[in-house]
Amino acid sequence: MRKRKLMPVALTIAGSDSGGGAGIQADLKTFSALDVHGTSAITCITAQNPGSVSGIQACRAKLLSSQLDAVFLGFQPAAAKTGMLYSAQIIRVVAQFFDRHPMNLVVDPVMVSTSGARLLKQSAVEALLNRLVPLATLVMPNLHEAEVLAGKRIRSVENLRTAARQINRRFGCAALVKGGHLEGLKVAVDIFYDGKQELLLSAPFIVGLRTHGTGCTYSAAVTAYLARGCSLTRAVQQAKQYITQAIARSRKAGSHEVLGW
């Protein structure tokens, strides 16, 4: 009997999105689409759709720790990502887990939802920056998050480049700064910098689409490619292609656009 090939395993640590377009749900869809077995640890349950977040219930620290231990014991994932963490207590639990079990870690420093709701308490920002981001292989901030991490305003592609280098120097991890919300550009530009190599990743804007969960999906794709054994630079390049195609394949579900995983 031929030996069956082992499936790569990835872990997502994030909040549950009841609308199915972001968070844990988006991550697991992305892992599956890229032929990676997805495991999860839920940090929060949210009541939301792409238009609003109407409720958040954080998971107890002990239960979150039990989820992480159970996943590691049963699957030993090759790569992991974090999304919505919400509180300093949750961040400490997650950081302690990666202290014990180092692996490829992609941090999506989620702070505010697409609809404008705060997904990270202000009191937790310091814990995110000082405790978790330094453990990351890669941090993937959007414009607002990059301004917090780099401590400066970003208004141009050159600012993106500077921010990526400052984040790398400050935290010691690679940075992929997403410039999709930069005004006045005809393409969506992201800058990757790992201390040695810089990549400019670009794709045409798709006019008329307002998608939800692109950041979650993008970071999940990087995580999946790392779990499959890709180098970090290869993983971010492949993930950029994947998220661009997912946006292009977006379809209507109810009254909202959803990504085409």
Side-chain angles (χ1 to χ4, degrees):
M1 183 176 178
R2 189 174 66 178
K3 188 176 180 180
R4 289 185 295 177
K5 186 179 178 181
L6 282 176
M7 194 174 188
V9 177
L11 165 65
T12 171
I13 306 166
S16 172
D17 173 6
S18 55
I24 288 281
Q25 287 83 350
D27 295 342
L28 293 178
K29 290 175 189 177
T30 303
F31 291 164
S32 180
L34 293 174
D35 201 26
V36 171
H37 177 71
T39 61
S40 63
I42 296 176
T43 60
C44 298
I45 296 173
T46 71
Q48 68 170 296
N49 57 49
S52 67
V53 178
S54 57
I56 296 173
Q57 177 63 59
C59 181
R60 291 182 179 179
K62 185 175 181 180
L63 180 57
L64 175 58
S65 182
S66 295
Q67 292 179 74
L68 292 168
D69 289 341
V71 167
F72 188 79
L73 181 63
F75 294 95
Q76 295 188 341
K81 66 153 286 189
T82 63
M84 178 185 178
L85 299 175
Y86 192 59
S87 72
Q89 185 180 34
I90 287 173
I91 290 169
R92 285 192 291 270
V93 170
V94 172
Q96 288 165 4
F97 172 77
F98 288 112
D99 284 338
R100 298 192 305 272
H101 306 296
M103 67 183 77
N104 281 317
L105 172 61
V106 177
V107 172
D108 181 1
V110 175
M111 296 181 185
V112 178
S113 72
T114 303
S115 61
R118 178 164 282 280
L119 302 180
L120 181 71
K121 291 181 177 180
Q122 188 62 42
S123 59
V125 173
E126 184 177 349
L128 177 70
L129 301 187
N130 295 336
R131 191 67 182 88
L132 187 62
V133 175
L135 299 176
T137 305
L138 174 71
V139 63
M140 293 182 60
N142 61 25
L143 280 187
H144 167 70
E145 294 155 357
E147 288 178 340
V148 174
L149 269 65
K152 65 176 296 179
R153 296 182 70 184
I154 299 173
R155 295 294 180 268
S156 66
V157 174
E158 193 59 36
N159 290 162
L160 286 179
R161 297 182 65 203
T162 302
R165 290 170 181 268
Q166 288 180 328
I167 292 168
N168 171 259
R169 284 196 298 268
R170 179 178 178 185
F171 299 104
C173 61
L176 177 56
V177 181
K178 298 173 291 184
H181 294 113
L182 273 179
E183 296 181 357
L185 297 182
K186 295 182 180 179
V187 293
V189 174
D190 308 324
I191 297 292
F192 168 84
Y193 184 69
D194 64 0
K196 295 180 180 178
Q197 185 175 11
E198 180 184 86
L199 300 175
L200 187 151
L201 307 171
S202 65
F205 275 120
I206 299 174
V207 180
L209 287 181
R210 181 176 173 80
T211 52
H212 173 64
T214 53
C216 302
T217 301
Y218 195 175
S219 57
V222 175
T223 307
Y225 283 116
L226 289 172
R228 287 170 53 169
C230 292
S231 67
L232 182 56
T233 53
R234 181 66 174 161
V236 298
Q237 290 170 322
Q238 290 289 99
K240 179 67 172 180
Q241 293 180 21
Y242 178 82
I243 188 59
T244 301
Q245 292 166 2
I247 294 170
R249 292 193 299 261
S250 294
R251 293 185 293 173
K252 202 86 167 188
S255 57
H256 299 283
E257 293 282 348
V258 296
L259 292 172
W261 288 276

